[in-house]
Amino acid sequence: MPPPRRALVTSLLRLRSFSSIAYPHPYPPAPLRRHQFVADPTTSTNRGVVGGIGGVGSGNGNILDPTQLLRDDPVAITASLWVSSFRAAASTSGSCTPAPPQPLTPFLSRLELWVLAYQKAYADETGSYLPRSSIPASTLASLLTLRNAVLDGRFRFGNRLTPILQSPRAANAPDPATLSKRKLRALLTTPGPSPFQDRVVQELLLLLLEPVYEARFSPKSFAFRPGRSPHAAIRTIRRSFAPYLWYIKGDLSPLLHSPDHALVVGALIRDVRDKKVVDLIRSALLTPVVTASDDAAVKKKKTKRKYQKKKVLPEGEPKPDPYWLQTFFGFAPEEAQTQPDWGHCGVLSPLLANVCLDEFDKWMEERIKEFYKPSKSDVVGGDDGIEQGNTSWPEFVPTTGPDKTRKVDYIRYGGHFLIGVRGPRADAAVLRKQLVEFCDQRFRIKLDNESLPIEHITKGVMFLDHVLCRRVVYPTLRYTATGGKIISEKGVGTLLSVTASLKQCIKQFRKLEFLKGDREPDPQPCFRMFHATQSHTNSQMNKLLLTMAEWYRYADNRKKVVNFCSYIIRGSLAKLYAAKYKLRSRAKVYKIASRNLSRPLKDKKGQSPEYHNLLRMGLVDSIDGLQYTRMSMVPDPDYTPLPFGWRPDHEKILLEYIKLTDQQTLEEQRNCIREDGLITPQDNISMLVWGYKKNAVLLPSKVSDAQGSTEDLGSDTDELDEKELGNEGNQSFQKLAEMS
């Protein structure tokens, strides 16, 4: 049966739109040679060489002109690598023999990718985006020199003496060759950020390695991956972990803090057998990093409490994060606080951590298959492994029927993982024993029963600062019996309740010095905002509250926890304003500024015009009241179910594009067009309108023949539908199919 016509139209439109940024063939164009500076003038003209960069033309024939190498769009080159990686992974998903790894050295020699990596590093360094047309010619020449040094094996990480590419913020920095011995020794022994050229190389390696591994990573791993945020992990747990009784929590963070270099390189070689890329990463791992001595740390600690003047940022330095964002980062859950930083790997460190832990993901997937024992009489699980619950409510687990199915599921966020076991506790104990042996042999991490506790769902399991527990529900189940009769009856089942941990929220507030006391939380004034205006302070805290409400979006107790955060922040601001304006108590602050602190506190009554008059004249800033001062103002939790087989949007688009470029899919679409035609609703309406106008001209003018003319019109319209909509439509779309 051919697919629907509307689906075909949508597929063809997506294929056309994605083809504009990706190559139609699975392999990228042949790269230039390593030291090829001169390009064919006719080819460069046809393919649109970038000209006018730094005042250097593209057609002047200069053999040292790097603009001659900028032929293609770097986004298109990267898109071709994503498409080829996902196509190779899709072709080997059902076979036991993996596809040979794709060589990355041809991509490493493309100057377009080096320019894209420079733009990303420039944005991180300065906080602004630099268009390719604004890059100076001297910078392009330095990028070309850096590329040749990497390809020839002359590049070294952490080289501060002979920088090839200067940082945009240190363009006027003195040459290290002209420094004295004392300054040179301080340059080599003082810890600081990695050289700018190292960050460009790291960005380029990330551009090459990320598509290769994103196509191979397990769908059960989250963190440090595009589209797989903590919210996606929480929604996956709510959808898939409802029927599990026993839970095992584990921590592999020691691997993220101190990695084994041989382990990282060994895991890298399995999928990337490109010598230049592997040697670059091995050099980044083995090159020692300059660290501060103990004496310098003690000296810095003693001189820390001096009077600090207002800091003036140098020209070009990005502004620090605002206060509300710094405060929100303090609420990061324990699983998200560990950010790997491996020496000179920089932005590559999170990807390499996932590369090492991917072996653990694959091992757990094998254990899931091993422990799966379905039962036909059970409502959860079947011969095909698909749950038999309500498709519109996948979190609901009916309690009818014997509980015989044994299942195991797994999810990992960074270095922390969560395993759910459905069955007896003995299965969880066996799995824990195998887990301890695997981590000891493969990762050399010592785990024991205390570090891998087996917890029952009724006691509550905390993951990502959300508590997982079970609650019993009695929904009304409706189904259609034989004969079309709809039957409604009361059902009994369980749901996985995902609630935000209020205890953990209080702990984070206490760590940020917003609270004091263990039993009854007492808000403390946030003196960081003492010199800010009331309008600025309220706006900062409103942004914090809006971000907190978004973070707890999928928690069942979203209203309660966000209202509690609003109470703490409102009390903290009231104490701050009481100390700032000498009002002695929070009650006086609330009396003047109202419940949401939206009225001004600076002007006293009778000494100045009314606040509204000043606001109308533009003499004062408007003061926004605090959000969520009442629980009814907090939005409801988001219970939107996550579909089975969920993937991020970019992966779905890539897989659909690969399917559409498949020859078998294209042949099916052509056959469908030849047989049935492809008529959109707009074409159908235009043909009907044209047929009506064509037949309306032939209508007789006599009123007596109106009935007969109407019959003739109907017959003509029927003939028109058969002829024009059938034969002519088929002929036109046969031509379209032949052209495609």
Side-chain angles (χ1 to χ4, degrees):
M1 180 178 179
R5 294 176 178 177
R6 181 170 296 181
L8 282 174
V9 173
T10 306
S11 303
L12 289 175
L13 290 177
R14 287 189 179 180
L15 174 62
R16 182 177 178 182
S17 63
F18 196 79
S19 299
S20 62
I21 63 171
Y23 295 104
H25 45 79
Y27 301 101
L32 300 173
R33 294 184 178 275
R34 189 166 58 190
H35 299 293
Q36 182 179 356
F37 297 96
V38 184
D40 188 3
T42 58
T43 307
S44 63
T45 305
N46 294 334
R47 303 188 68 175
V49 177
V50 177
I53 302 180
V56 182
S58 59
N60 53 7
N62 186 5
I63 61 173
L64 298 178
D65 185 9
T67 58
Q68 299 287 342
L69 301 179
L70 300 178
R71 298 186 170 191
D72 298 313
D73 184 15
V75 178
I77 300 174
T78 310
S80 68
L81 183 57
W82 279 89
V83 171
S84 59
S85 300
F86 272 81
R87 180 180 282 113
S91 61
T92 59
S93 58
S95 60
C96 299
T97 57
Q102 185 177 359
L104 297 179
T105 302
F107 292 94
L108 196 64
S109 61
R110 300 301 297 267
L111 187 62
E112 298 93 339
L113 295 181
W114 284 91
V115 172
L116 182 60
Y118 174 81
Q119 288 175 309
K120 296 180 65 177
Y122 183 95
D124 292 339
E125 182 78 3
T126 62
S128 61
Y129 175 75
L130 180 67
R132 192 166 76 170
S133 58
S134 302
I135 301 178
S138 58
T139 303
L140 289 177
S142 301
L143 279 173
L144 189 59
T145 306
L146 180 62
R147 185 203 72 168
N148 295 336
V150 169
L151 293 175
D152 292 340
R154 294 181 286 106
F155 174 77
R156 295 293 179 269
F157 283 96
N159 187 3
R160 301 184 182 182
L161 294 180
T162 56
I164 302 175
L165 182 65
Q166 289 286 351
S167 170
R169 286 172 48 191
N172 299 325
D175 187 5
T178 61
L179 296 177
S180 61
K181 291 184 178 180
R182 181 179 61 83
K183 293 183 178 180
L184 193 62
R185 187 182 300 108
L187 178 66
L188 296 178
T189 57
T190 303
S194 58
F196 183 73
Q197 59 187 12
D198 292 6
R199 279 173 275 173
V200 174
V201 177
Q202 294 162 7
E203 291 285 356
L204 179 68
L205 291 175
L206 183 63
L207 285 174
L208 299 183
L209 293 178
E210 189 175 31
V212 174
Y213 280 103
E214 280 296 323
R216 291 172 168 81
F217 280 156
S218 171
K220 297 183 180 300
S221 67
F222 294 80
F224 317 135
R225 297 182 60 185
R228 297 183 180 272
S229 61
H231 279 168
I234 292 172
R235 297 181 70 189
T236 303
I237 291 173
R238 183 191 290 277
R239 178 203 63 194
S240 303
F241 281 68
Y244 299 103
L245 299 175
W246 304 98
Y247 286 85
I248 304 175
K249 276 179 34 177
D251 184 10
L252 300 177
S253 297
L255 182 66
L256 305 184
H257 293 298
S258 56
D260 186 359
H261 301 159
L263 178 65
V264 177
V265 176
L268 193 69
I269 290 178
R270 281 195 296 269
D271 297 318
V272 178
R273 298 182 183 177
D274 195 294
K275 188 176 184 304
K276 290 188 180 299
V277 174
V278 175
D279 288 345
L280 274 174
I281 297 177
R282 182 187 288 111
S283 174
L285 289 170
L286 296 179
T287 302
V289 181
V290 179
T291 57
S293 60
D294 297 338
D295 298 339
V298 172
K299 185 178 180 181
K300 183 178 180 181
K301 185 176 181 181
K302 289 182 179 179
T303 60
K304 185 178 178 181
R305 300 297 299 177
K306 284 187 177 181
Y307 175 74
Q308 297 179 357
K309 296 182 180 180
K310 185 176 181 180
K311 183 180 179 181
V312 179
L313 296 176
E315 184 179 358
E317 183 177 352
K319 294 181 180 179
D321 294 330
Y323 176 68
W324 70 269
L325 191 57
Q326 296 178 12
T327 306
F328 176 71
F329 286 159
F331 281 89
E334 180 185 358
E335 292 82 2
Q337 288 180 353
T338 304
Q339 181 79 13
D341 188 9
W342 296 352
H344 294 283
C345 291
V347 295
L348 271 177
S349 302
L351 178 65
L352 295 178
N354 275 332
V355 169
C356 295
L357 292 174
D358 185 61
E359 186 175 355
F360 179 73
D361 299 336
K362 297 295 189 296
W363 181 83
M364 276 303 307
E365 289 176 355
E366 293 296 328
R367 302 288 78 75
I368 291 174
K369 296 178 182 178
E370 176 185 339
F371 278 83
Y372 181 58
K373 297 178 182 179
S375 175
K376 294 182 179 180
S377 59
D378 195 359
V379 295
V380 177
D383 294 334
D384 53 357
I386 301 177
E387 295 188 359
Q388 307 296 325
N390 190 358
T391 56
S392 62
W393 198 1
E395 302 88 357
F396 174 71
V397 180
T399 57
T400 57
D403 186 3
K404 296 181 180 179
T405 299
R406 296 186 179 182
K407 296 178 62 178
V408 172
D409 206 347
Y410 156 80
I411 191 173
R412 178 178 63 83
Y413 189 87
H416 298 257
F417 61 87
L418 180 68
I419 302 174
V421 180
R422 178 180 173 88
R425 190 181 185 279
D427 289 354
V430 172
L431 181 60
R432 179 172 63 179
K433 182 179 179 181
Q434 297 177 1
L435 184 62
V436 170
E437 295 176 356
F438 175 80
C439 293
D440 187 16
Q441 296 175 1
R442 192 69 189 95
F443 299 131
R444 299 176 184 176
I445 298 178
K446 301 294 183 181
L447 299 177
D448 52 12
N449 295 344
E450 294 183 0
S451 59
L452 294 174
I454 301 177
E455 303 176 358
H456 198 269
I457 186 61
T458 55
K459 295 183 178 180
V461 182
M462 183 179 294
F463 194 74
L464 287 172
D465 281 358
H466 286 68
V467 180
L468 314 178
C469 56
R470 173 179 288 188
R471 58 175 177 171
V472 181
V473 292
Y474 303 92
T476 301
L477 304 178
R478 294 181 176 86
Y479 59 91
T480 304
T482 56
K485 184 179 179 181
I486 299 178
I487 300 177
S488 300
E489 61 179 11
K490 277 287 186 181
V492 181
T494 58
L495 281 179
L496 186 67
S497 177
V498 180
T499 59
S501 174
L502 196 61
K503 182 178 179 181
Q504 190 71 12
C505 185
I506 294 174
K507 179 180 177 182
Q508 299 291 353
F509 268 125
R510 190 179 296 113
K511 184 176 66 175
L512 295 171
E513 298 181 355
F514 274 85
L515 280 179
K516 184 179 71 173
D518 296 332
R519 296 183 179 179
E520 296 182 0
D522 183 21
Q524 296 298 304
C526 52
F527 285 110
R528 282 278 303 274
M529 305 295 293
F530 187 82
H531 297 286
T533 61
Q534 184 180 353
S535 174
H536 179 69
T537 305
N538 284 9
S539 64
Q540 289 283 308
M541 292 305 166
N542 275 335
K543 292 179 181 179
L544 174 61
L545 285 172
L546 290 172
T547 314
M548 296 290 293
E550 182 63 24
W551 164 239
Y552 293 118
R553 179 178 181 178
Y554 299 99
D556 293 347
N557 59 341
R558 182 187 188 185
K559 284 181 171 291
K560 180 180 179 181
V561 69
V562 174
N563 185 255
F564 174 76
C565 295
S566 177
Y567 162 74
I568 295 299
I569 292 176
R570 186 165 57 95
S572 176
L573 288 186
K575 284 193 173 183
L576 172 67
Y577 294 151
K580 183 176 181 179
Y581 299 112
K582 300 178 180 179
L583 296 175
R584 296 184 181 180
S585 65
R586 285 184 288 176
K588 291 186 177 181
V589 173
Y590 291 141
K591 184 177 180 180
I592 299 175
S594 75
R595 179 185 179 89
N596 59 356
L597 304 176
S598 61
R599 295 179 183 174
L601 290 163
K602 186 174 182 181
D603 299 324
K604 295 183 179 180
K605 186 177 180 181
Q607 295 182 1
S608 63
E610 292 292 336
Y611 169 72
H612 296 287
N613 295 334
L614 295 175
L615 181 63
R616 184 181 57 193
M617 291 185 292
L619 299 178
V620 296
D621 296 331
S622 61
I623 301 176
D624 297 329
L626 285 184
Q627 298 280 347
Y628 311 132
T629 53
R630 300 185 185 276
M631 190 175 293
S632 59
M633 302 171 63
V634 183
D636 295 328
D638 189 353
Y639 292 112
T640 306
L642 193 68
F644 282 95
W646 172 86
R647 284 179 175 270
D649 293 338
H650 69 280
E651 293 187 13
K652 290 192 295 186
I653 293 175
L654 282 170
L655 294 176
E656 185 175 359
Y657 172 75
I658 292 170
K659 182 180 178 181
L660 291 175
T661 53
D662 188 14
Q663 292 297 330
Q664 183 178 359
T665 306
L666 292 177
E667 191 63 29
E668 291 177 358
Q669 291 177 348
R670 292 193 182 100
N671 293 336
C672 179
I673 293 174
R674 293 192 189 99
E675 294 174 1
D676 300 337
L678 185 63
I679 302 176
T680 61
Q682 292 80 0
D683 295 336
N684 196 0
I685 293 174
S686 63
M687 290 179 183
L688 290 175
V689 173
W690 171 250
Y692 175 76
K693 290 184 176 181
K694 180 180 178 182
N695 288 278
V697 176
L698 303 177
L699 285 176
S701 58
K702 297 181 180 180
V703 182
S704 60
D705 297 334
Q707 184 176 0
S709 63
T710 306
E711 295 176 357
D712 295 338
L713 176 62
S715 61
D716 292 341
T717 306
D718 295 339
E719 293 177 1
L720 179 67
D721 291 342
E722 294 178 359
K723 293 180 180 180
E724 295 190 3
L725 300 186
N727 299 332
E728 295 180 7
N730 288 334
Q731 292 176 4
S732 62
F733 283 103
Q734 284 178 4
K735 294 180 181 179
L736 176 62
E738 293 174 359
M739 292 175 63
S740 62

